Amino acid sequence: MGELFHLLKKGNKSAMIAAIVNTIIAIAKGVAFMFTGNVAMFAETMHSIGDAANQFFVFIGSALSKKAPTDRYPNGFGRLVNLVLLGAVLIVGIMAYETIIEGYHHILHPTESGGFLINIGVLGFALILELFVLYKAMKEVMHEAGEEALGLSVIFKSFAHLGRAKPATKLVFMEDLVASSGGLLAIIAVVIAHFTGILWVEGAASILIGLMMFFVVGRVFLDNAAGVLGRADEEMEEKIGLLVMADPDVKDIQSLAVIKEGEDLHVELEIEIDPNLTIAAADDIKDRLLEKIIAEKGVTDVTIEFDEEDGVRTWNKNIEPKKES
């Protein structure tokens, strides 16, 4: 039990905050729907329930993925967060389906709902909370990307660096981006239906919200399916390649693989060195490279192998040949 609490402290904080906030929002929207019967409110209730459940599982998965390797699982539990996210998107998929079906029925048989001020008040309250969570996720994206951003610049820069965020943070970002957009869409639909009498617009809004939820399902599924399989991080490969080739004793790189498992990066490196070097000198090179590579953000383990220089350039990714002294 003590180990579990220790792991939970390492869980993704953005996901935990989002889970708590979306639980509050889901309760508020659910109560409003019971009083008003508004189909756009139903769509938003389903959306928030899906988000809250999803983000809670994400928090648990991100925490358990930090568990240290065991004899039975020597490669660790890094991919567990990807597996949890694959399961979590099923919840959102079911909610999205129900949201679309309810919206379709409302378009075919539109009914007038009451409680206009209740709907607007609850949706407005929820939108403010969702924007708060989204902004926190944006700041977390920038932190994980190792980039500086202040004020409103966080909003724009977070989109550019989203690909470098951890899977859990990326999911929270995308879900709350859709949630905020859906909340605004629901408010517009409620206002139009109330003042114009065009009741089917609420059903159309429900379908659009459901489709946005399906977009999140598709995007998250593809990202985490690749994570479960063990996706190569090409950007980090190039960065580590430059770092390794900058070492004066490294003649070439035979092979370099940076595999992303959950939030962890595993590096496998084979380099060419002067065959006349002593074992002690080669060991010094290994220690030097290991220290530099393990200092890179997200790298958890490094395997380095040696081969003798063959005079043929293998690694040529943006690398200029070293000048002979």
Side-chain angles (χ1 to χ4, degrees):
M1 186 62 71
E3 183 186 11
L4 177 61
F5 283 120
H6 179 69
L7 289 172
L8 289 177
K9 290 180 181 179
K10 299 180 180 181
N12 187 277
K13 292 182 176 59
S14 294
M16 191 62 202
I17 293 172
I20 294 171
V21 171
N22 275 296
T23 299
I24 296 170
I25 292 172
I27 293 171
K29 288 177 179 178
V31 171
F33 171 69
M34 286 191 294
F35 277 102
T36 66
N38 186 280
V39 70
M41 184 64 76
F42 172 80
E44 280 297 289
T45 301
M46 298 296 280
H47 192 174
S48 294
I49 291 173
D51 284 354
N54 215 354
Q55 289 154 353
F56 177 73
F57 283 121
V58 167
F59 170 74
I60 297 298
S62 66
L64 295 180
S65 69
K66 304 294 193 306
K67 182 177 172 63
T70 63
D71 292 338
R72 189 172 183 181
Y73 301 100
N75 292 327
F77 298 83
R79 299 189 192 189
L80 184 60
V81 66
N82 297 116
L83 288 171
V84 171
L85 286 170
L86 285 177
V89 295
L90 293 177
I91 297 174
V92 181
I94 293 170
M95 298 296 181
Y97 172 77
E98 293 295 334
T99 300
I100 291 173
I101 292 300
E102 187 68 22
Y104 175 71
H105 288 322
H106 187 78
I107 290 176
L108 294 180
H109 309 287
T111 56
E112 185 175 0
S113 58
F116 172 72
L117 293 180
I118 294 176
N119 287 326
I120 293 298
V122 170
L123 288 172
F125 167 74
L127 180 59
I128 292 171
L129 290 181
E130 284 160 351
L131 288 172
F132 167 75
V133 174
L134 177 60
Y135 184 73
K136 294 285 288 184
M138 288 177 170
K139 291 181 68 175
E140 190 69 16
V141 167
M142 298 306 298
H143 172 71
E144 292 172 0
E147 299 289 338
E148 293 289 335
L150 298 173
L152 294 178
S153 65
V154 172
I155 298 174
F156 303 103
K157 290 184 178 180
S158 62
F159 283 92
H161 296 287
L162 183 59
R164 296 165 61 186
K166 296 177 181 178
T169 303
K170 190 183 298 185
L171 176 68
V172 173
F173 178 99
M174 292 180 62
E175 284 194 337
D176 278 284
L177 178 63
V178 170
S180 301
S181 303
L184 182 60
L185 184 62
I187 291 173
I188 293 172
V190 169
V191 170
I192 291 175
H194 179 75
F195 288 104
T196 68
I198 305 175
L199 303 180
W200 60 263
V201 74
E202 293 178 352
S206 180
I207 290 176
L208 288 174
I209 292 169
L211 291 174
M212 287 192 293
M213 293 167 70
F214 268 127
F215 169 76
V216 173
V217 168
R219 178 69 183 272
V220 173
F221 177 83
L222 291 175
D223 282 352
N224 287 280
V228 169
L229 294 174
R231 178 179 56 191
D233 190 324
E234 295 181 356
E235 183 179 348
M236 187 58 77
E237 280 182 2
E238 183 170 341
K239 184 176 182 180
I240 291 177
L242 287 168
L243 182 153
V244 171
M245 288 299 292
D247 190 288
D249 291 316
V250 175
K251 304 302 181 182
D252 196 7
I253 297 176
Q254 279 282 6
S255 63
L256 171 60
V258 180
I259 306 300
K260 191 168 187 178
E261 297 185 356
E263 300 173 3
D264 301 332
L265 295 175
H266 303 273
V267 180
E268 298 178 3
L269 173 68
E270 183 178 356
I271 59 174
E272 293 181 8
I273 60 174
D274 187 337
N276 297 316
L277 289 176
T278 63
I279 294 177
D283 193 53
D284 288 340
I285 297 171
K286 182 177 181 178
D287 290 341
R288 190 165 64 234
L289 291 176
L290 182 62
E291 183 180 359
K292 291 179 180 179
I293 295 172
I294 207 73
E296 292 294 323
K297 191 175 182 66
V299 176
T300 57
D301 67 79
V302 183
T303 301
I304 300 177
E305 297 180 357
F306 294 105
D307 196 1
E308 63 180 4
E309 183 185 10
D310 59 10
V312 178
R313 172 69 65 177
T314 301
W315 186 264
N316 56 8
K317 294 185 179 181
N318 300 326
I319 306 294
E320 294 183 1
K322 297 187 180 78
K323 293 181 179 178
E324 298 293 338
S325 56

